[in-house]
Amino acid sequence: MAETVSGHGGDLMLAALRAYGVTEVFTLSGGHLFPLYDALHTTGVRLLDVRHEQSAVFAAEAVAKLQRRPAVAALTAGPGVTNGISGITSAHFNGSPVVVVGGRAPQFRWGAGSLQEIDHLPIVRPVTKHAETIMSTAQTPEVIHRAVAAAIAPHRGPVFVDAPLEVIFDKAEAVIGAAHAVTPQEADPDELARAAALLARAERPILIAGSDVYTGDAVAALREAAEALQVPVFANGMGRGALPPGHPLAFARARKAAMTGADVVCVVGTPLDFRLGFGDYGEAQVIHIVDAESQKANHAKTAAAPVGDLRLILTALAQTASKHDDWIAKLREVEDAARAKEVDALSADTDPIKPSRVYGALRNVLDADAVTIGDGGDFVSYAGKYLEPGVPGAWLDPGPYGCLGTGMGYAMGARVTYPDRQICVLMGDGAAGFSLMDVESLVRQNLPVVIVVGNNGIWGLEKHPMQALYGYDVAADLQPGLRYDKVVEAMGGAGETVSRAGDLEPALNRAFASGVPYLVNVLTDPADMYPRSANLA
């Protein structure tokens, strides 16, 4: 329902954003944005601030991912925007509808050298779906609506809008229109029929569910399709938890056997990128199901590639019934054997502590609906292997862009989304250097989270491969035994260092009971190397 609003540019901007369900804005204070802050303050909309702009964008991305709606980061002009580029780029690769609002030097003096004067649009355009400057105050709602409509249209992604100083401070009257609604796109019937036929006659099919299954609200449809087709399901990203642990069709450890033995591989809602062998599965036929033409894998050969609303496509596939009892039983044997081999690693009482042992302790402490956040290399790879979300929408990682520094921003967005759930950040000691200062933001705004640092004193993802390639390594060492817990204590949180495996669970229990940002600094074995199988190229 349309309404007329009078006020400065910040008032008009906020009114347009609220039409899309926005209830909070993440920022780092900047004078170019004062009218937006004024609008937020006078209307009671939550404003959360950070110590580095990338954390503001990551926090907004966490809200966008978890709540499946647009979320807003407000960045001041010039370095405020450029500091947020890594966050915007991650949102681009993750298909997250983040709306980035930028301040901008005054247009009336453009070219004279105002403070932080730079044209942001050429910088952000390669990693946004839409980028535009508001050139008059009265046009503010129209521009915001245009940007948000682009952000939420398949395939979702970040957008950018900035407003020159005089535009956001000036006053005007404007009509705030109703929120743009996304019309579900029907897949091409022929492509859909091809996919259904392939799955119906397959003898050894598998299904891989990616993040868009969750963000496209297609979890129930995925379960319906998997159960009708009786197809084993693997997951990555936010697809994790789409089938709960213990579901007879949920698999995690038999991926290699499945990939090499399958005759049909159906990938839903995730790119055929380095994480999935670039879509090359030998003789297997590939079905790639995505929500937009832009997501089709032009580098890989596909036997069917339906494009459209994932719920509609999966619901249609659920009309085809089939059975693969022998194939499922074979993969279950592989799965069970692999899990049996993990028992010793998860309970290892070694000195130094093995990273796997940290996850053995976490499995005993984390609630089924805990939100786990990965921010790191080798240490987080172990998390992906050993932790299984009990519910959908409870796993956040940087995604295919692989950007470190997501941790504190994601934690902020997760805590805002879920005030009462466990929020656990799993962080390598290298990643800690990117965003740990934003613990102060969490403390100051009463946002308790638990941070578990796997502290091996090295860049493990680089040191071990360099040693293997060259017999030496450079630029791969960090300060061993660094007291990251003391850093958190100094900012008003709490923490402790753990050097013995038997002390892990008590420390984690203290962390979750503390009610403050709490860092458990675990000294892990620098000689331990994650057995990596994915290639970078």
Side-chain angles (χ1 to χ4, degrees):
M1 183 172 161
E3 63 171 327
T4 301
V5 173
S6 297
H8 52 55
D11 294 319
L12 303 182
M13 188 178 290
L14 179 59
L17 290 168
R18 292 183 76 175
Y20 290 90
V22 171
T23 57
E24 68 292 303
V25 172
F26 301 95
T27 195
L28 192 155
S29 188
H32 293 85
L33 297 169
F34 280 0
L36 178 58
Y37 300 159
D38 177 61
L40 293 161
H41 177 71
T42 55
T43 57
V45 175
R46 196 172 187 182
L47 179 64
L48 299 109
D49 65 297
V50 298
R51 301 297 292 263
H52 193 288
E53 285 89 355
Q54 73 170 12
S55 290
V57 182
F58 287 134
E61 192 195 6
V63 170
K65 283 179 168 183
L66 294 170
Q67 299 190 37
R68 296 183 283 217
R69 65 161 172 86
V72 181
L75 311 181
T76 199
V81 171
T82 56
N83 280 346
I85 291 295
S86 288
I88 297 170
T89 307
S90 289
H92 167 70
F93 277 94
N94 292 332
S96 304
V98 176
V99 180
V100 179
V101 176
R104 187 179 175 95
Q107 194 67 26
F108 75 89
R109 206 186 295 279
W110 197 261
S114 294
L115 175 67
Q116 297 171 340
E117 178 185 306
I118 190 171
D119 186 3
H120 306 122
L121 301 194
I123 300 171
V124 302
R125 275 188 177 128
V127 290
T128 57
K129 292 186 67 181
H130 181 88
E132 185 174 354
T133 296
I134 303 170
M135 298 308 293
S136 79
T137 308
Q139 291 178 345
T140 298
E142 175 189 340
V143 174
I144 293 294
H145 275 288
R146 190 155 50 236
V148 181
I152 62 177
H155 184 63
R156 291 164 293 274
V159 295
F160 178 86
V161 173
D162 63 4
L165 199 65
E166 72 274 28
V167 171
I168 196 169
F169 273 86
D170 201 4
K171 293 185 176 181
E173 181 177 275
V175 174
I176 310 297
H180 177 81
V182 178
T183 301
Q185 178 187 344
E186 299 270 0
D188 179 88
D190 292 337
E191 286 292 334
L192 192 52
R194 271 193 288 274
L198 283 165
L199 287 166
R201 63 175 178 259
E203 295 181 359
R204 300 178 308 281
I206 64 169
L207 193 154
I208 300 172
S211 292
D212 290 341
V213 170
Y214 176 77
T215 57
D217 199 14
V219 170
L222 173 88
R223 292 184 187 179
E224 184 184 9
E227 289 169 356
L229 292 160
Q230 284 296 293
V231 58
V233 176
F234 296 82
N236 72 3
M238 293 192 79
R240 295 161 62 90
L243 292 187
H247 190 287
L249 295 173
F251 291 83
R253 308 297 192 271
R255 184 179 295 240
K256 183 177 180 181
M259 294 284 200
T260 55
D263 59 354
V264 173
V265 177
C266 179
V267 179
V268 185
T270 193
L272 299 178
D273 58 19
F274 70 95
R275 298 170 298 172
L276 293 179
F278 301 101
D280 183 0
Y281 309 122
E283 298 301 315
Q285 293 182 290
V286 179
I287 303 168
H288 193 208
I289 301 173
V290 294
D291 63 5
E293 287 288 336
S294 63
Q295 301 307 296
K296 291 179 73 170
N298 295 321
H299 64 278
K301 182 181 179 181
T302 57
V307 176
D309 184 273
L310 299 186
R311 288 172 297 184
L312 298 179
I313 293 172
L314 290 167
T315 299
L317 292 178
Q319 308 311 306
T320 303
S322 59
K323 276 199 166 190
H324 307 96
D325 293 346
D326 291 345
W327 172 234
I328 291 169
K330 179 180 178 181
L331 291 182
R332 185 57 62 190
E333 285 183 12
V334 175
E335 181 89 4
D336 291 346
R339 289 181 182 275
K341 287 181 180 179
E342 294 171 0
V343 172
D344 289 344
L346 291 167
S347 58
D349 188 14
T350 59
D351 181 15
I353 299 169
K354 298 291 186 185
S356 59
R357 179 67 177 86
V358 181
Y359 293 104
L362 278 165
R363 284 164 61 132
N364 294 330
V365 172
L366 290 175
D367 295 337
D369 66 353
V371 178
T372 48
I373 297 165
D375 185 10
D378 263 18
F379 186 63
V380 172
S381 294
Y382 285 99
K385 180 175 182 178
Y386 292 122
L387 293 185
E388 298 175 73
V391 298
W395 176 269
L396 291 172
D397 63 30
Y401 191 51
C403 184
L404 297 183
T406 60
M408 295 302 95
Y410 277 6
M412 180 178 283
R415 177 52 75 208
V416 167
T417 298
Y418 298 119
D420 300 320
R421 287 197 196 179
Q422 290 178 335
I423 308 295
C424 184
V425 182
L426 310 164
M427 182 179 283
D429 52 340
F434 284 78
S435 69
L436 200 59
M437 191 67 194
D438 261 311
V439 166
E440 189 276 335
S441 305
L442 298 173
V443 169
R444 178 167 39 82
Q445 293 165 108
N446 192 28
L447 301 170
V449 303
V450 171
I451 307 154
V452 180
V453 171
N455 185 352
N456 60 2
I458 62 172
W459 292 100
L461 200 58
E462 287 72 33
K463 187 178 183 76
H464 296 302
M466 284 193 74
Q467 286 282 355
L469 283 170
Y470 303 117
Y472 68 88
D473 64 86
V474 295
D477 289 306
L478 299 167
Q479 187 179 139
L482 194 65
R483 294 297 301 272
Y484 297 100
D485 54 312
K486 293 295 185 183
V487 175
V488 170
E489 286 181 12
M491 290 188 284
E496 58 188 286
T497 289
V498 175
S499 58
R500 298 193 322 159
D503 295 332
L504 280 165
E505 282 190 41
L508 291 168
N509 284 319
R510 284 189 291 272
F512 282 111
S514 69
V516 298
Y518 196 110
L519 189 144
V520 180
N521 184 39
V522 186
L523 303 185
T524 58
D525 185 358
D528 191 277
M529 179 174 62
Y530 185 79
R532 199 162 302 282
S533 58
N535 294 320
L536 300 180

